[in-house]
Amino acid sequence: MLAAYGKLNALVERLDRAEVRRAIEEVGLVTAQEHILFELLTLFRVMASLGVHGWELQPLRLFRGAVETHGTSRDGRRIDLWYQSKPSVLADVSNYREVLARHGFQRPQDLRPDLVLHWQTPTGSPRTLVIECKLSTSGGVKEAARSALFDLLAYRQAFASSMAGAGVPYGLGVAWGGGLTPQLNQDVMLCTPDKIEEALLTTASG
């Protein structure tokens, strides 16, 4: 029990980079890039937080080249979670891609959030939350949070037709570090991994 608690503390509470890397690599998710490790840490923390808020998720799967999962709440509502993909809830219309295409860019790649959540509220309304993870080795939490905010504002402009009905908040920026508390009733929330559970409270209430 003490060993299990020590591992949890290293991975989640203290965000020990060496421990995060070792844990992920030991289960076969081998990568040398720290930002990918942070994305995976955030993915698993989001899934755990959704469980706390009453969502029962299926195991992650690879479907049509995208890592995704889905689940249901106790009252039967559905939730979908995508990692590193642009799901259909973000419409095919992309202002970003269209501007590049008009300027002669051949097959321009679209913007792609790190994570996308889509669920139903208790009243049956659809909600979408895009999640961006950022790690800064020099500027710390503040620089990472600014970078995440920049991308989240870009997503709102690029996918304006989809974001118009996404609800509030539509974006969550997760910055490496600790102690950054989300402001829940704003268009965009910013937090650190230790506050993800608090940020995702909106998935249970609306």
Side-chain angles (χ1 to χ4, degrees):
M1 289 180 65
L2 289 175
Y5 175 79
K7 182 66 68 176
L8 174 66
N9 185 57
L11 294 178
V12 177
E13 303 300 335
R14 291 190 290 109
L15 296 174
D16 186 307
R17 292 186 185 182
E19 288 294 329
V20 171
R21 183 189 299 277
R22 186 176 302 111
I24 292 175
E25 291 182 350
E26 284 176 357
V27 297
L29 297 173
V30 180
T31 177
Q33 300 182 29
E34 288 187 337
H35 73 278
I36 296 179
L37 293 174
F38 182 44
E39 290 170 4
L40 293 171
L41 172 66
T42 302
L43 170 63
F44 295 134
R45 189 61 188 265
V46 165
M47 293 177 66
S49 297
L50 291 174
V52 170
H53 293 311
W55 297 97
E56 184 175 346
L57 295 178
Q58 299 297 312
L60 289 168
R61 64 173 185 165
L62 183 65
F63 183 69
R64 294 181 180 178
V67 176
E68 62 178 47
T69 184
H70 66 276
T72 55
S73 63
R74 298 185 183 97
D75 58 6
R77 292 180 292 129
R78 180 182 172 99
I79 193 166
D80 293 277
L81 170 62
W82 296 270
Y83 169 67
Q84 281 294 342
S85 63
K86 199 195 83 171
S88 59
V89 294
L90 298 179
D92 290 336
V93 176
S94 167
N95 295 329
Y96 176 86
R97 192 177 63 235
E98 288 186 355
V99 169
L100 292 177
R102 285 196 295 267
H103 286 80
F105 287 75
Q106 298 297 317
R107 296 183 179 181
Q109 290 189 343
D110 212 342
L111 297 179
R112 185 177 63 183
D114 292 326
L115 300 168
V116 179
L117 272 177
H118 184 73
W119 72 97
Q120 291 178 325
T121 69
T123 61
S125 299
R127 286 288 314 277
T128 302
L129 182 73
V130 293
I131 302 175
E132 191 69 14
C133 316
K134 292 297 181 184
L135 180 151
S136 174
T137 56
S138 58
V141 172
K142 290 184 177 179
E143 185 60 32
R146 291 189 186 99
S147 182
L149 175 59
F150 183 89
D151 283 357
L152 291 168
L153 294 176
Y155 295 145
R156 179 165 62 179
Q157 179 63 30
F159 306 118
S161 59
S162 299
M163 291 290 95
V168 175
Y170 78 85
L172 170 63
V174 182
W176 177 271
L180 180 58
T181 301
Q183 300 301 307
L184 300 182
N185 296 317
Q186 307 297 317
D187 283 349
V188 175
M189 299 180 292
L190 300 173
C191 75
T192 41
D194 56 317
K195 303 293 184 179
I196 288 177
E197 183 178 316
E198 183 177 342
L200 294 184
L201 179 62
T202 183
T203 65
S205 60

